[in-house]
Structure formats: structure tokens, C-alpha cells
Amino acid sequence: MPSADLSRLAALHGVATSYSPSPDRTVAASVTAVTRALAALGVDAGTPEAVRAALAARERERAERLLPPTVVGWGTGVPPALAALPGGTRLLVRTEQGETRPSAENLPPGVHRVTATAPDGRTGEAHLIVAPPGLPAPPARSYGLLVQLYSLLSRRSWGMGDLADLGELADWAGRTLGAGFVQINPLHAAVPGPPTDPSPYRPSSRRFPDPVHLRIEDVPEFAYLSESKGEGAGAGVEGAEGRARLEGPLRRAAELREAVLDKGALIDRDAVWAAKKAALEAVVDEVPLGPGRLAAYRDFLAEQGQALEDHATWCALAEVHGPAWHTWPAPLRDPRSPGTARARRELAARVDFHSRLAWLTDTQLTAVQRTAREAGMPLGIVHDLAVGVHPEGSDAWAQQDTLAAGMSVGAPPDAFNARGQDWGLPPWRPDRLAACGYAPFRALLQALFRYAGALRIDHVMGLFRLWWVPRGLPPTEGTYVRYDAEAMLAVLVLEASRAGAVVIGEDLGTVEPGVRETLRERGVYGTSVLWFERDWEGDGRPLSPETWRADCLATVTTHDLPPTASRLTGEHVGLRDGLGLLTRPLAEEHAEAAADTAEWLDLLTRLGLLHGHGTDGAVPARADGTATTEEARIQAVHRYLLRTPARMIGVWLPDGVGDRRPQNLPGTWDQYPNWRLPVADAQGRPVTLEDLTASPRLRALLDVVRTRTDRPGGAEGTGGVSGTGGAGGAEGTDGADRADAPGRT
């Protein structure tokens, strides 16, 4: 147990000394976890004497300072921290817009600087974040598609889904079916292999997208490859050389596409990138940018500044020394060292190449969002922000001063996972974020909102606190470290409002009291998954739809959960059993899954939502056009979502063709092909984008959703529900109300 002095010191630095895995249980954090977390924050708590000295210094610093490093204000009122200053304190505010003001009233939204001078002579300076009181709701109730982009292959892609495929899907769904959005997985830059970590939630950089998603043929210079380098008679010879350089990548692209779509191969991200990289090198080497394109590229370089230079430098150095920057020659481990500056000059061509790829990817992402909006989508593309970055990636290298060395983000043990979780992601230091006015977080959001109509934030509870696991220790030996949630939310609301974007927080799992209420107050939507919406504080039965919250994205399943067909048939239990993931006898697991499904089907029947079903099992559709039992049940659970007041309804795209395989199976690594499966039909045969858009089964499901999206709360069917629990379970507690939600791997 931490001593009283250590507990006080920890509290002053936002380090918890206990946690609650359930409402009725409190567990003390180990002294090791607390002292290691404090050490990562630059505080020596290794001995009782050191603890007393650090405690005295911290209390003295807080008593003497006039202002904290960052101050937050909402709307046009005076920020509370400034209103609480001693009487007679003089203020000088230098606004982001270039104004100088003697008052903090009626300030425009932005990140300003404020200087305070108290009557006793003390002065203080702070970053002043002023944000709108909250984000507005989406313009109207809408439905959208959820898909992992890599899994969405067209007959034109290079072995995995790309940005042109995404644009085609959005254009079709918006124009043909009135969809309001398409939500995808994080497109952050990955740490290169081989093998590359296929998980989109362990990226090299969250700020810059991965060029593996480029459609090579849509790069403007690609079309001019045959005219590159030279004029007149020489042009044909050198053009032939350029075309020759493309023959190999184009042939390889066709092979990779055929292997996945026609031969049952897994998506091979490394092979796809090798082919695309070779093609891009040929284009960049052989075709100079035209004057206008060159000007646009230079504008992008100037706008992105040091961050892009760091990312491109890391990419160039990784090609020479491998991606694990901790093993690089000592001078190169510091992005600001003279050795790194010298290496950057020596690798200038490769640094420019990787900068060019970032620009090309940014332009295609922007074009996709424009296509979605022109197709009538009010939101367009919903991008996904991972909770952290890979410890060997470019962000970890470039942002060492703001990351907690020797720490990893994870989750504490609870009733559903006694061992806890370690996600292998270094967390931000809350003290360093506050000292710089949350500049890295602001820059990250600004980069994503360039091309996002909405942003999903993975593990949104991380804006409030994160479970820090010291390196070398199991997740059980971690502790929570708190962030200034008001400042984090102010930055989020500020940047989202500037972009006119919606924010969706993934708030599944254990959520401490007050978090959902605070997010709702600021206009941040939550995530509600049908299978978890039960009256956990009451009888545990499924919630009646009218008790759901309105400010959420409501879905039946997610990328971490079984597809709906698999869940309804119980096939997901057999999959987990075959991989040795069950903790109870197979018969017991099957019985529980069957009872869960039966309970939901009973509710759907009583609500009058189960239409056109035949005999048990997945039988072919009848001649009169009525749906199979399986299709009818999948349609029914989506009709249920329409009965809720949720303003956003998400349809997992693979559900529309009967896919059985989850895209990710938490708890597995190489035992299951996580993040490498194409969208497939009920027999496991890959379904192309072209076939998806022509699928009668998918069209029937989307017709159910689109024709009733604008009629929330009782539009479909008649009658009410009794005995399904109260609204308490919809909001959650600090315990295990959603602790069966998926973790991260």
C-alpha cells in the first residue's frame, strides 16, 4: 500500500493509488506502479526521503504559481481560473488572431496566451484555450456503412481496398441509397515490416496517413509517365524506360488482386506496399511536377512544417537502419541532433519522396471526402483515431519529449479479464501536454479534420485517464494516470467546430462515473452496440429501444465482434473454441450464446420487427421474394436500431452479404488472420466492391434502414415492451456494465 506521503504526491501529479474494477470493489495500486508512473513524469519517489522532498516541492510550486500552464474557457465568459485570480490582477491576452486585449471576456475561439500580474508582484503566463460550449448535433438523423477499408477490394485495387474504392462506395451509397456516412478503420501510417503489424490501431504515426491506401492510377503524374524526361526523339526511349519500370508493379498488383479475390489468399499488406512503392518511385523519378502541382506541393510542405519533415526523415532512416529507432546509431535516436540533421541532408531525395507520398495521400483523402459530400452525404467519411502509437514509430521518435518513457497504455484487470491488457502504446505525458498548450494533440486533430466529416475516437475515456503499465511488468501492475479532461475536450471541441465535424467517442467497456455525461454536455457522441444494451443494474434483460440514448452511433456489431450472422447462429463460439479461447466448457458457452440470441429474438418478435422469416436455418429466399430466416433476423436487429432514438445508425457492411468472419479476434495474434480478411459471403468467398453494390441481399438490408432512418422512436412496427429493464443500463457505471466489450490487440 502506498504511504500517506506517496499517496498525496501521486494525487498532486494525477497518479491514482487505487482503482475500482466494479462498483463494489476497490483495489490498491502497487507501490511499484505508482513510483514508476511518477518517475515517467520526472518525479523521484524512490525513497521516503525523495517522496517528502518531491511532495514539498510540488506543494510549494502549486501554492506560489499564479496560473497553471493551460487555462480553459468555454464560450464568451471569463474562464474560471482567471475569474478566481486575486482582486486587482491585471491581464494581457494575446489572441490567436493577433489582437492584444486587457480582458478575457468575449474572446474568440482559439488558443491564446494570457499574462497575469497580481497586486503582490507575482506574474504568470499560460496558454488559454477558448472553445465553443459544445458541438452541434449532426444535421439530421442518418444511417451509414461501417467497413475496414483494406477489406473492400474492387477489381481495380492492388490486393487490398484503397481510397478510390472508398470513394466509389461513398458515391454509390450516397447517391443510390441516401447513406449519410461511411465509417472506416484508422488510415494512420504503419510501421514498415516485414512483416508490418497489420493492426491499424498500432500505427507509426497518427498524424500522417499511410500511402499504401493510394490508388496509383489516380496520381496525376502516372498518366504522363510515357512522356517523362526529355523531348523529341529521346522522349520515346526514356518513356519506354518509365513504362518498363511499371511492368513489374502492375503485374504484381494483378497477381495480388487475383490471389485474394479468386484463390482465397489473405490480404498481404507488405506485398501490396512493395508493388505500390516501386510504382510510386518510378512516377516520382520519371515525371516532374508541373508548375501548379509543384506550387501545391510546396504549400503542403510549408503548412505541415517540422512535423512532416520529422515523419519523412524517420521513414528515410528506417529504410537504412530498420524501423526500430531505439537500435539506431545513438545520434540518430534524437530527431534534433546534428547527426540527424546531417543524415537528413544525405537522404534528402528519400525524405522528399516520403514527403511527396504524404501529400499525394492527403490529396486523395480530401478528394474522397469531397466525393462523399457531393453524393449527398451530410457527414461523408468518418475517420478513426487510434488511442496511441507504436513505440518504434515516427511519432514516438519525433515526440519523445511529450511521451512517457518506459510506459505502455492498457486496461486494468476486471471480472472479465483477470490479467488486464497491455496495448504496447506509449502514453502522452499530461504535464508536457499542458506545458505546450496541447500543441501535439491540436496538430493531430487539425490533420485528421482536413478530410473527415466526423471522427471516431477510439477509447475516448483516454481523454480523462489511461491505465499506465510500466515496461517489464504485467498489466496487473499498472495504475491510472489522469489527464486534464477539460483541456483535452476543449481542444477537441475547438478543432471539430472549426472543421464543422461531428465527434463520436468509442465508450464501450468500463467507464467511470460522469464521463458520458461530460461528453454529452460537450456534444461528443457515444457508441452503443446492440448486444451490450442490457439492464445491467437490474434484471440483465435487453433494454427496450426507447430507453437508449439519442446522442450515439448505434450499431449491431463492430470490427472486434462477430458478424451478426455468426452471432445469431452461434458460430462465433465454435471459432473461439477452435482457437483455445474459451474459459468454460464448450457446451456451457454454446448454451449461454443460444440463450442470449433467443432473448433478443423473442424481443424482436414481440416488437413485431421479425418479418418474412421461414424455417430455422439459413435457407434460400423463397420464390415470392421473402427473406431467408438469417436475412430476416439480420434485418430485424437493424429495425430494432431504428426504434431507438439514436441519431446515427451504423450498418456493418459485411453483414449485408452474410460474412461470418470477424475482422479482428481479440486475444489472438498469429492464431487468427486479424486485419487481413476481405469482405466475404456466407461461404467465405470474397465479394468485390462491384458485387457488393449489385447484391440483392445487401440492397434489401439497406432498404430497411434507409426508408425509416428519418423516423426515430417507434417508426417501425407497433406495440411496446415490458419487462426489458430500465434506462439505467443504457448509461453504464464504473463497473462491468460493458466490460464484455472488446479489448484491443
Side-chain angles (χ1 to χ4, degrees), residues 608-620:
L609 302 178
L610 196 53
H611 301 168
H613 58 288
T615 58
D616 289 340
V619 299

Side-chain angles (χ1 to χ4, degrees), residues 225-316:
L225 190 58
S226 63
E227 302 173 9
S228 63
K229 285 190 177 181
E231 299 178 357
V237 175
E238 300 200 20
E241 292 175 357
R243 288 194 300 272
R245 292 183 63 179
L246 279 179
E247 289 178 1
L250 290 173
R251 182 173 57 254
R252 184 62 174 143
E255 293 170 351
L256 291 168
R257 179 172 58 246
E258 181 183 3
V260 174
L261 294 178
D262 302 327
K263 298 180 179 179
L266 298 176
I267 292 169
D268 188 341
R269 183 191 180 103
D270 288 329
V272 172
W273 175 233
K276 289 190 176 185
K277 184 179 179 183
L280 289 164
E281 287 171 337
V283 171
V284 170
D285 290 347
E286 303 289 340
V287 185
L289 294 174
R293 293 269 292 166
L294 181 59
Y297 175 46
R298 287 173 174 168
D299 283 349
F300 181 78
L301 292 176
E303 183 178 357
Q304 300 301 313
Q306 185 69 59
L308 177 56
E309 187 174 85
D310 286 342
H311 175 66
T313 299
W314 180 91
C315 292

Side-chain angles (χ1 to χ4, degrees), residues 686-701:
V687 180
T688 66
L689 172 61
E690 294 86 352
D691 290 338
L692 274 167
T693 58
S695 167
R697 175 170 177 168
L698 174 61
R699 185 63 175 262
L701 175 59

Side-chain angles (χ1 to χ4, degrees), residues 76-422:
T76 57
V78 177
L82 301 182
L85 290 170
T89 297
R90 299 192 309 275
L91 296 180
L92 180 65
V93 179
R94 295 179 294 279
T95 72
E96 182 183 279
Q97 293 78 13
E99 299 177 283
T100 300
R101 299 191 183 190
S103 167
E105 290 183 301
N106 299 314
L107 290 173
V111 181
H112 317 305
R113 291 289 289 175
V114 58
T115 301
T117 304
D120 61 8
R122 287 182 299 154
T123 62
E125 189 170 5
H127 301 275
L128 172 55
I129 303 172
V130 177
L135 292 170
R141 194 184 202 213
S142 64
Y143 89 94
L145 306 176
L146 281 57
V147 66
Q148 301 283 288
L149 178 55
Y150 58 83
S151 71
L152 182 71
L153 283 76
S154 71
R155 285 290 176 183
R156 295 178 177 177
S157 55
W158 286 33
M160 62 181 283
D162 60 32
L163 292 173
D165 295 328
L166 177 59
E168 291 282 1
L169 177 69
D171 211 5
W172 170 77
R175 294 182 187 277
T176 306
L177 295 172
F181 59 90
V182 176
Q183 179 180 301
I184 55 174
N185 54 286
L187 302 187
H188 309 318
V191 177
T196 297
D197 186 340
S199 172
Y201 292 95
R202 277 171 57 85
S204 172
S205 173
R206 294 189 293 174
R207 177 162 178 177
F208 296 102
D210 199 313
V212 76
H213 301 109
L214 284 168
R215 171 64 65 84
I216 303 300
E217 293 87 343
D218 286 354
V219 175
E221 287 70 36
F222 179 88
Y224 297 99
L225 190 58
S226 63
E227 302 173 9
S228 63
K229 285 190 177 181
E231 299 178 357
V237 175
E238 300 200 20
E241 292 175 357
R243 288 194 300 272
R245 292 183 63 179
L246 279 179
E247 289 178 1
L250 290 173
R251 182 173 57 254
R252 184 62 174 143
E255 293 170 351
L256 291 168
R257 179 172 58 246
E258 181 183 3
V260 174
L261 294 178
D262 302 327
K263 298 180 179 179
L266 298 176
I267 292 169
D268 188 341
R269 183 191 180 103
D270 288 329
V272 172
W273 175 233
K276 289 190 176 185
K277 184 179 179 183
L280 289 164
E281 287 171 337
V283 171
V284 170
D285 290 347
E286 303 289 340
V287 185
L289 294 174
R293 293 269 292 166
L294 181 59
Y297 175 46
R298 287 173 174 168
D299 283 349
F300 181 78
L301 292 176
E303 183 178 357
Q304 300 301 313
Q306 185 69 59
L308 177 56
E309 187 174 85
D310 286 342
H311 175 66
T313 299
W314 180 91
C315 292
L317 290 171
E319 290 178 332
V320 177
H321 302 284
W325 64 266
H326 285 100
T327 67
W328 292 354
L332 301 182
R333 298 173 203 165
D334 179 0
R336 304 288 168 258
S337 74
T340 298
R342 183 167 54 253
R344 184 181 293 117
R345 291 191 297 271
E346 294 169 351
L347 297 170
R350 298 306 296 175
V351 172
D352 181 70
F353 174 72
H354 290 290
S355 298
R356 180 90 66 94
L357 299 192
W359 172 59
L360 292 173
T361 312
D362 180 87
T363 58
Q364 288 196 11
L365 281 163
T366 303
V368 170
Q369 173 62 4
R370 183 169 58 249
T371 295
R373 296 301 293 270
E374 289 174 353
M377 288 187 169
L379 293 179
I381 308 303
V382 181
H383 284 272
D384 198 347
L385 174 61
V387 70
V389 295
H390 196 287
E392 295 292 357
S394 72
D395 282 1
W397 176 72
Q399 299 177 13
Q400 296 174 53
D401 56 336
T402 56
L403 295 176
M407 290 288 157
S408 174
V409 174
D414 55 32
F416 293 87
N417 192 332
R419 294 173 293 181
Q421 300 177 50
D422 183 349

Side-chain angles (χ1 to χ4, degrees), residues 693-737:
T693 58
S695 167
R697 175 170 177 168
L698 174 61
R699 185 63 175 262
L701 175 59
L702 297 185
D703 279 344
V704 165
V705 180
R706 75 178 179 117
T707 56
R708 296 173 175 86
T709 301
D710 60 348
R711 288 182 273 167
E716 170 68 33
T718 59
V721 183
S722 60
T724 55
E731 298 302 323
T733 69
D734 191 34
D737 68 306

